[in-house]
Amino acid sequence: MDRQPHSPAREIIVANALRAVANELRLIDVADYVAFIRLESMASIADIVESASELYFMPGTLRLGHGCEAHVYWEGNPRIVLDLELRPGGCTVYCSLELSAENAAVEVNYVAFDDPSEDPEENSLYLEKALMAARIVKTERPLLMG
C-alpha cells in the first residue's frame, strides 16, 4: 500500500492507542512468535493479538492483518513485525507494529474512512476520537466493606 501524506501525524495517534497492547504483546516470548511464523500458524498469532487487544479495546477493534515477520539474526536483537487492522467505528487503519526487546514502533500504511472529510486534519481528529471511543475504560471498583 502507498503511504498517505498524513500518515506521520496519524502514526502518533495510532501509536498512543496501541501502546498498552504493544506492551502486552511483548510479554510473549520471542521464540513463540518465531515458531508460529516459521510454521505459518497465523491463527495462533491472531489469537495472541486478539487476547492482548481485548484488555483495552472493544471486541473486533484490533486484529491481525495479512501477515507477520520475524527478523532474527546471530547478531543484534530480534524483531517481530505484525500487520494489523485497527477498526474503530467509521474507519480502518492498516498498520504494522514492530516489537523488539525494549521498543515498539507503529507504521501506518493506509487509513480508510467510511465518510471522509475533505480536510485531512478533520479526518485525523475523527480517527483519534474513534480510537478513544473504542477503548475499554477501566474503572476501579469501590472496596466493599462488610
Side-chain angles (χ1 to χ4, degrees), residues 20-144:
V21 175
N23 287 335
E24 291 290 328
L25 292 170
R26 285 180 49 239
L27 294 174
I28 304 300
D29 194 285
V30 72
D32 292 335
Y33 283 115
V34 172
F36 292 143
I37 292 168
R38 180 87 170 152
L39 297 171
E40 297 182 8
S41 182
M42 296 303 119
S44 297
I45 297 173
D47 286 343
I48 291 169
V49 170
E50 184 178 331
S51 294
S53 69
E54 71 187 6
L55 299 170
Y56 303 99
F57 289 106
M58 301 299 282
T61 302
L62 181 65
R63 66 181 187 185
L64 184 67
H66 293 292
C68 44
E69 303 169 4
H71 300 272
V72 182
Y73 306 102
W74 289 109
E75 299 171 358
N77 293 322
R79 293 180 300 121
I80 302 298
V81 180
L82 304 172
D83 289 335
L84 300 175
E85 291 181 15
L86 187 56
R87 296 176 178 264
C91 57
T92 303
V93 179
Y94 300 95
C95 62
S96 297
L97 176 63
E98 181 178 306
L99 304 169
S100 64
E102 296 180 16
N103 298 315
V106 171
E107 181 177 348
V108 171
N109 298 310
Y110 189 80
V111 181
F113 294 94
D114 292 351
D115 187 23
S117 168
E118 290 188 27
D119 180 7
E121 289 181 22
E122 193 174 308
N123 289 332
S124 295
L125 183 60
Y126 179 86
L127 172 63
E128 189 170 18
K129 288 179 180 178
L131 287 168
M132 290 298 288
R135 291 191 61 110
I136 294 175
V137 179
K138 294 188 178 194
T139 58
E140 291 186 34
R141 288 190 247 160
L143 201 56
L144 298 176

